[in-house]
Amino acid sequence: EEEALNLLFLGDTNRAITETPMNMASSRSHCIFTMNLERREGGSDTVRRAKINLVDLAGSERVSKTGVNGQILQEAKYINLSLHYLEQVVIALQERAMGMARPHI
């Protein structure tokens, strides 16, 4: 538990944020925290496993409304593009699960 919290706090301290006209602390980075849990039943060989992904995505911003320029504008464009591609992956995975196979994801 302590190790997990230390890793979570380390990620938070390394998180990139910046101030924009629409948000005083706009996250500029994505973070995925994966926990693998294992539980053994007492007096049994049964092992239960679970994997939990906590995902914090950088915020999408309407570039035209923020009035930003320079490096912050470039960051916003890359953030929005990465969120678009992530959306495409989620849609493809959903379609695959529903039997609507795509040649690739």
Side-chain angles (χ1 to χ4, degrees):
E1 179 181 335
E2 183 178 341
E3 181 183 2
L5 285 173
N6 287 338
L7 290 171
L8 193 60
F9 291 134
L10 177 64
D12 187 52
T13 58
N14 288 317
R15 188 172 66 124
I17 59 170
T18 194
E19 184 175 340
T20 69
M22 295 184 75
N23 189 345
M24 292 187 59
S26 178
S27 177
R28 313 311 280 173
S29 55
H30 303 312
C31 176
I32 300 173
F33 187 77
T34 303
M35 294 183 288
N36 291 296
L37 307 172
E38 186 174 289
R39 178 179 177 213
R40 296 184 187 279
E41 297 288 332
S44 172
D45 291 337
T46 303
V47 178
R48 295 179 187 253
R49 293 184 176 90
K51 182 177 181 179
I52 300 172
N53 292 300
L54 303 175
V55 180
D56 177 24
L57 300 176
S60 174
E61 297 177 351
R62 298 255 182 227
V63 174
S64 62
K65 291 185 178 182
T66 61
V68 296
N69 55 35
Q71 181 176 344
I72 296 174
L73 175 62
Q74 284 302 109
E75 288 175 357
K77 287 180 181 179
Y78 288 130
I79 289 168
N80 290 344
L81 186 61
S82 69
L83 292 171
H84 167 73
Y85 287 128
L86 178 60
E87 176 188 23
Q88 295 303 306
V89 169
V90 170
I91 289 169
L93 290 170
Q94 179 186 13
E95 288 176 354
R96 179 181 281 179
M98 295 173 65
M100 301 165 35
R102 283 187 175 194
H104 67 281
I105 294 179

